[in-house]
């Protein structure tokens, strides 16, 4: 006979929770509107830009100049990074839901920019098409979530909308969080690989799911030796030495795949993410950094704690560097074939080696591991 009062109490609790959620939502909305209305808004002159915006444009200008000088060194002659559209959203910090204003770069021939302020960037001739707007993309729901970027349709064009903030600039910012690397990486995904089935040239390799990596010591032993062999393959420009080390790496990988077939998804992850890392390294001229950690360093430092996919960003980069020596036309070949017959980086590597090498037995695996211990 007490069911009705208990139900009323439950309803009161539900109402209380809903009111609390509405209050929080109202606060978030109020903060968003306040930031949008009262936040900074450059007049379009260089003097009106703060240090963060100036640094961002300097870095982007340096990348554009490097890409214009040597497009085939960045990726291929058909991909001109300096001509690509960007939407750059200025936020006050990481993972913010909203931005104060949007910079549109190389967008005037892709959408209506009338009414937007033109931004003058002296000494940056490749940044001569920059506008700033308070309203642009405000209605895009996916740009008001807790993320650093989104991919939006602008008059039929797929464009990267990337949020930048003061914490992306400085000497101590990790490379996967700083503007130069993070922005270039995500832009490559959008402009070269496509984001969704149906996008022109979509690379249908990797569904973003979890790769089940065996926890066994045997798998770790073989994987570490493979990473050591790939490291050796990227430590020299001598084609014979690269070929020997790359062959050893390929054989160790095939041995792992034979024992754990589900690991073959590694090839797709490497192809999508490794090429994006390859581009971000090239456009920032990072390959010339002598003290950069090797692939084996990455494995030894992070293998026990990294997300299962993360290692293959770096191993894909290493395969790309090996292919630079063994098959210099690999980038153009991959760009042409990726949307249709989907060759992986590993396919291109084994093709450059003359075909897939023999899968080693247990004794041969021991020899290969000992060679790279």
């Amino acid at each position: 006979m007490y069911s009705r009062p208990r139900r009323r109490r439950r309803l009161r609790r539900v109402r209380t929770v809903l009111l609390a959620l509405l209050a929080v939502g109202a606060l978030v909305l109020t903060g968003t509107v306040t930031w949008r209305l009262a936040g900074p808004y450059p007049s379009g002159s260089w003097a009106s830009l703060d240090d963060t915006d100036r640094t961002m444009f300097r870095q982007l200008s340096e990348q554009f100049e490097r890409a214009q000088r040597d497009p085939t060194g960045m990726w291929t002659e058909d991909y001109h990074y300096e001509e690509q559209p960007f939407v750059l959203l200025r936020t006050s910090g990481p993972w913010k839901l909203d931005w104060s204003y949007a910079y549109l770069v190389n967008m005037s021939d892709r959408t209506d920019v009338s009414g937007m302020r033109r931004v003058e960037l002296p000494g940056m001739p490749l940044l001569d098409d920059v506008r700033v707007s308070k309203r642009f993309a405000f209605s895009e729901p996916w740009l008001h979530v807790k993320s650093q970027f989104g991919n939006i349709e602008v008059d039929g064009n797929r464009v990267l909308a990337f949020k930048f903030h003061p914490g992306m600039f400085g000497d101590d910012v990790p490379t996967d969080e700083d503007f130069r690397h993070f922005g270039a990486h995500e832009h490559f995904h959008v402009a070269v690989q496509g984001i969704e089935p149906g996008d022109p040239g979509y690379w249908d390799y990797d569904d973003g799911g979890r790769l089940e990596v065996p926890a066994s010591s045997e798998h770790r032993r073989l994987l570490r030796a493979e990473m050591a062999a790939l490291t050796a393959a990227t430590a020299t420009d001598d084609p014979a030495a690269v070929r020997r080390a790359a062959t050893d790496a390929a054989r160790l990988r095939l041995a792992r795949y034979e024992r754990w077939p589900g690991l073959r998804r590694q090839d797709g992850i490497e192809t999508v993410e490794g090429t994006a890392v390859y581009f971000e390294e090239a456009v920032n001229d990072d390959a010339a950094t002598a003290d950069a950690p090797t692939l084996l360093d990455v494995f030894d430092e992070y293998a026990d704690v990294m997300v299962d996919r993360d290692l293959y960003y770096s191993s894909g980069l290493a395969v790309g560097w090996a292919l630079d020596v063994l098959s210099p036309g690999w980038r153009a070949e991959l760009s042409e074939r990726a949307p249709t017959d989907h060759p992986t980086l590993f396919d291109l590597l084994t093709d450059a080696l003359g075909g897939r090498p023999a899968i080693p037995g247990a004794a041969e695996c021991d020899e290969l591991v000992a060679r790279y211990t």
Side-chain angles (χ1 to χ4, degrees):
M1 64 182 183
Y2 296 103
S3 60
R4 189 177 297 274
R6 282 199 294 270
R7 184 168 181 267
R8 288 198 186 109
R9 284 196 292 272
R10 285 197 296 271
L11 289 173
R12 282 198 295 269
R13 284 196 293 270
V14 169
R15 283 196 295 269
T16 300
V17 170
L18 288 175
L19 288 172
L21 291 173
L22 288 172
V24 171
L27 287 173
V28 171
L29 180 60
T30 300
T32 296
V33 172
T34 300
W35 170 245
R36 175 56 63 95
L37 296 177
Y41 185 30
S43 68
S45 69
W46 176 256
S48 69
L49 274 58
D50 67 8
D51 288 343
T52 295
D53 290 18
R54 291 182 180 186
T55 303
M56 182 273 292
F57 281 122
R58 286 192 189 103
Q59 292 185 358
L60 193 61
S61 177
E62 290 171 0
Q63 290 181 330
F64 279 10
E65 290 174 4
R66 193 173 293 119
Q68 185 189 55
R69 286 195 303 267
D70 185 19
T72 57
M74 306 298 104
W75 187 245
T76 69
E77 62 182 8
D78 296 326
Y79 178 51
H80 287 267
Y81 184 61
E82 74 278 8
E83 298 174 0
Q84 295 296 314
F86 286 80
V87 174
L88 300 169
L89 310 170
R90 173 63 192 271
T91 66
S92 58
W95 305 107
K96 296 297 183 180
L97 300 181
D98 194 38
W99 58 95
S100 178
Y101 49 86
Y103 287 118
L104 280 70
V105 179
N106 294 334
M107 292 281 288
S108 62
D109 62 346
R110 293 173 170 88
T111 191
D112 181 10
V113 297
S114 61
M116 299 182 189
R117 297 176 181 176
R118 188 182 187 98
V119 182
E120 302 295 337
L121 300 170
M124 303 179 190
L126 297 181
L127 285 170
D128 62 346
D129 182 7
V130 179
R131 305 293 196 281
V132 63
S133 171
K134 276 275 192 181
R135 299 185 302 274
F136 186 81
F138 185 67
S139 62
E140 290 287 342
W142 294 111
L143 299 182
H144 297 280
V145 299
K146 199 172 182 180
S147 67
Q148 290 296 151
F149 61 89
N151 307 295
I152 60 175
E153 284 276 349
V154 180
D155 295 341
N157 298 289
R158 180 79 69 177
V159 180
L160 173 69
F162 188 85
K163 298 176 183 178
F164 72 100
H165 57 83
M168 288 183 166
F169 306 91
D171 295 334
D172 299 326
V173 183
T175 56
D176 61 343
E177 297 176 13
D178 77 351
F179 174 79
R180 292 185 306 126
H181 294 82
F182 196 176
H185 183 102
E186 298 306 330
H187 191 278
F188 186 87
H189 285 320
V190 175
V192 176
Q193 299 173 349
I195 296 300
E196 299 176 355
D199 287 350
Y202 176 63
W203 291 23
D204 188 12
Y205 285 92
D206 175 24
D207 62 7
R210 184 174 178 81
L211 179 67
E212 297 295 338
V213 178
S216 70
S217 59
E218 174 63 8
H219 179 260
R220 180 187 174 89
R221 184 178 78 107
L222 295 176
L223 180 59
R224 186 183 189 280
E226 179 187 329
M227 298 300 104
L230 279 176
T231 297
T234 62
T236 177
D237 291 329
D238 175 44
V242 174
R243 183 176 297 275
R244 284 193 299 271
T247 299
D248 290 344
R251 297 190 73 201
L252 285 160
R253 181 176 301 196
L254 292 171
R256 290 192 301 113
Y257 287 0
E258 183 180 51
R259 184 163 178 180
W260 298 283
L263 293 176
R264 290 190 176 94
R265 290 189 57 228
Q266 172 184 335
D267 294 349
I269 297 170
E270 278 185 343
T271 303
V272 171
E273 299 296 349
T275 52
V277 175
Y278 181 99
F279 175 76
E280 70 173 84
E281 294 272 316
V283 82
N284 288 298
D285 201 23
D286 287 340
T289 305
D291 60 349
T294 68
L295 175 57
L296 187 59
D297 293 334
V298 172
F299 179 88
D300 285 340
E301 185 171 359
Y302 297 111
D304 289 333
V305 297
M306 65 171 45
V307 177
D308 54 330
R309 298 166 52 90
D310 289 359
L311 178 63
Y312 306 120
Y313 287 55
S314 298
S315 63
L317 170 64
V319 173
W321 282 347
L323 284 167
D324 283 344
V325 176
L326 299 175
S327 181
W330 71 271
R331 297 189 299 277
E333 180 182 359
L334 183 60
S335 291
E336 180 180 353
R337 295 175 57 197
T340 53
D341 55 349
H342 311 304
T344 66
L345 284 179
F346 189 59
D347 290 331
L348 299 184
L349 180 64
T350 54
D351 287 348
L353 297 173
R356 296 212 164 190
I359 300 174
E364 289 178 294
C365 282
D366 290 342
E367 292 176 6
L368 288 169
V369 169
R371 188 175 301 166
Y372 294 97
T373 298

